Amino acid sequence: RDVERSRGLGDVYKRQMKITSITPYLFNPRSGKNLLLIRVETDTGLYGWGECYTSLRKEQVVQAYVQAMTPYVIGRDPFNIRHTWRVLFDDFAIRRSSLDLACAWSGIEIALWDIIGKACKQPVYKLLGGANREQVRLYANGWYEGARSLDALCDAAVRTVSQGWNALKWDPYSGPWRTFISQKEEDEAVENVRRIRAAVGPHVDLLIDAHRRVAPRQAVSFAKRIEGFGIMQFEDPNLADNIDLVAQTRAQIGLPTVTGETLYTKEQFVSVLERKAADVINPDVCAAGGILASMELAAMAEPYGVSFSPHNNNSTVVGLAATLHVSLAASNFLIAEHFVNLAPACDAIATCRPDVRPGWARPRDIPGLGVDIDMRALREWPYADLGSKNLRHPHEEFPREGHV
């Protein structure tokens, strides 16, 4: 009888759902960059939405990865997330990591969680251990779009705060990202922060994103000069590829240091934590392996006393929803990112999306991620070639006469 029962269980397993298609959709919100949504369908009729992080003018690279990975995922059980990634990394990527690979898998993985939640009739966060908080705090990014002067930037900050936002992030530096900059450029960045603080008053949290721009000496100088402006976070002061640079900066400043946006493996975050390079880690759910990997990274950081503040330069529908589910469940969550400039286009294609108000959000308490997309509307926002970027030539590089 036990043998018969075990055979019966095997038959049940064989009848479980299978993935039948994976379709990437490049979506141009007419602001910033093209976004990449993923729809995964199964033989039961259940489908899920995911999203891959994309970089400006390189969005099609991630789409190509999704298309190359698809034949190895078709036919698999959507519940077997860990094993699917294992075989993709070991046998498809032959154990060679890359950001584009991680972004492609993240979008597929998020869609699988959407399917799993629907199959289990539960919101995804309840399958991750349940909620640790009632709502997710958000900071606004992208609020400065179109501002071409410091006065215009201050006006945009005031306008955003008047809408109800109480935390703003931006990059106060100007010009291309370089390891060494002139004293004038540092002075202008400090003045930028001073003006924004004066414009919004003392009760708004300011988050500074340095985008890995400068060497430790200049990062430390800048950080010390802005400490008096009440900065909540100082993100990516140095290139995180050499995490010792970030650790050097953190050891010499009084601002909470954030890094992790450009990292996407547990091995990379081990170095961040062991070298005491961060007070906060900010992996992107759509780039660091998806929902399960993000939960693992948050858990890794917790015993080090490091908080979790996910990066989220993604849609305000799918990418935001995935971020919210992780943020509700992670014990050491602090604050998450929301690009306000992407919301109008995302609202236009969504038939179901997270509940967002300025500064706070929560995913819908329905099975899966709590999102859905109007396919007809999505096709009205097709991929757009955003053109090539005007990169510097040698005669334009620092130091040069008249710009030191």
Side-chain angles (χ1 to χ4, degrees):
R1 185 174 296 176
D2 288 342
V3 171
E4 290 176 357
R5 185 180 295 115
S6 67
R7 286 175 178 168
L9 289 173
D11 291 340
V12 168
Y13 180 80
K14 291 175 183 177
R15 291 197 300 272
Q16 288 182 350
M17 76 173 79
K18 303 298 179 185
I19 297 165
T20 55
S21 69
I22 299 173
T23 309
Y25 294 93
L26 280 166
F27 156 55
N28 176 29
R30 299 165 196 165
S31 179
K33 62 178 184 177
N34 291 284
L35 306 176
L36 181 56
L37 305 180
I38 305 295
R39 181 178 167 116
V40 176
E41 299 182 345
T42 70
D43 60 356
T44 66
L46 290 178
Y47 63 89
W49 285 101
E51 182 169 355
C52 309
Y53 175 81
T54 59
S55 299
L56 179 62
R57 302 180 183 87
K58 299 183 287 292
E59 303 95 336
Q60 290 175 307
V61 175
V62 181
Q63 180 188 37
Y65 261 94
V66 172
Q67 293 167 334
M69 294 162 70
T70 293
Y72 302 95
V73 182
I74 296 296
R76 293 182 179 272
D77 183 342
F79 279 81
N80 291 339
I81 287 176
R82 287 186 187 275
H83 185 258
T84 300
W85 170 239
R86 177 184 170 188
V87 297
L88 285 172
F89 180 71
D90 289 352
D91 304 324
F92 170 76
I94 53 174
R95 294 196 162 199
R96 289 176 174 169
S97 297
S98 78
L99 175 60
D100 298 319
L101 172 74
C103 292
W105 166 245
S106 298
I108 295 171
E109 194 263 9
I110 291 167
L112 299 184
W113 275 106
D114 193 18
I115 292 168
I116 291 168
K118 291 173 181 176
C120 295
K121 296 180 172 56
Q122 294 292 332
V124 168
Y125 75 86
K126 290 192 175 182
L127 304 178
L128 303 175
N132 262 298
R133 55 198 51 83
E134 184 178 19
Q135 298 181 83
V136 174
R137 190 184 180 200
L138 300 176
Y139 62 82
N141 205 337
W143 52 269
Y144 42 77
E145 185 174 62
R148 296 290 181 262
S149 68
L150 186 50
D151 287 341
L153 188 72
C154 291
D155 290 344
V158 171
R159 184 166 57 251
T160 306
V161 171
S162 71
Q163 294 167 356
W165 291 91
N166 61 6
L168 307 178
K169 187 171 92 171
W170 82 106
D171 184 339
Y173 289 95
S174 60
W177 302 352
R178 292 295 186 268
T179 304
F180 305 104
I181 61 174
S182 68
Q183 186 61 51
K184 180 176 181 291
E185 287 174 300
E186 181 184 309
D187 293 343
E188 290 174 347
V190 172
E191 177 64 8
N192 185 298
V193 178
R194 187 194 70 78
R195 288 280 305 277
I196 294 295
R197 171 53 78 198
V200 301
H203 304 302
V204 176
D205 284 322
L206 301 183
L207 298 84
I208 303 301
D209 191 349
H211 281 122
R212 309 162 294 283
R213 282 179 181 263
V214 296
R217 179 185 63 80
Q218 290 186 311
V220 170
S221 173
F222 172 71
K224 288 183 175 180
R225 294 176 68 185
I226 65 170
E227 282 181 5
F229 301 134
I231 304 304
M232 180 182 181
Q233 292 183 1
F234 184 32
E235 181 179 328
D236 279 337
N238 319 108
L239 187 66
D241 294 41
N242 180 357
I243 201 62
D244 287 336
L245 300 178
V246 185
Q248 287 177 44
T249 296
R250 178 179 178 264
Q252 298 178 68
I253 66 175
L255 301 179
T257 302
V258 184
T259 198
E261 166 189 340
T262 62
L263 308 179
Y264 47 88
T265 70
K266 285 181 278 191
E267 290 80 4
Q268 291 169 325
F269 280 94
V270 165
S271 296
V272 172
L273 298 169
E274 289 185 345
R275 287 176 168 80
K276 299 179 175 60
D279 300 285
V280 184
I281 59 168
N282 68 330
D284 193 306
V285 179
C286 297
I291 289 172
L292 183 59
S294 296
M295 288 297 297
E296 292 176 338
L297 293 174
M300 285 171 59
E302 189 172 4
Y304 287 86
V306 172
S307 55
F308 175 72
S309 178
H311 180 267
N312 180 42
N313 187 2
N314 306 298
S315 78
T316 58
V317 186
V318 183
L320 177 62
T323 300
L324 295 178
H325 283 280
V326 172
S327 300
L328 274 183
S331 301
N332 51 339
F333 169 77
L334 181 62
I335 193 168
E337 186 166 35
H338 181 77
F339 272 80
V340 295
N341 57 308
L342 299 178
C346 294
D347 290 350
I349 66 168
T351 59
C352 186
R353 57 184 174 80
D355 181 16
V356 180
R357 57 190 177 88
W360 299 93
R362 183 179 174 89
R364 300 289 180 183
D365 266 316
I366 59 178
L369 290 177
V371 300
D372 209 351
I373 303 294
D374 182 330
M375 296 299 298
R376 180 177 296 179
L378 179 61
R379 293 188 181 97
E380 294 176 358
W381 300 75
Y383 170 83
D385 185 346
L386 300 175
S388 59
K389 190 174 184 179
N390 184 23
L391 304 181
R392 278 185 175 180
H393 293 277
H395 70 274
E396 300 172 293
E397 292 291 358
F398 171 84
R400 68 185 193 273
E401 187 174 357
H403 296 82
V404 294

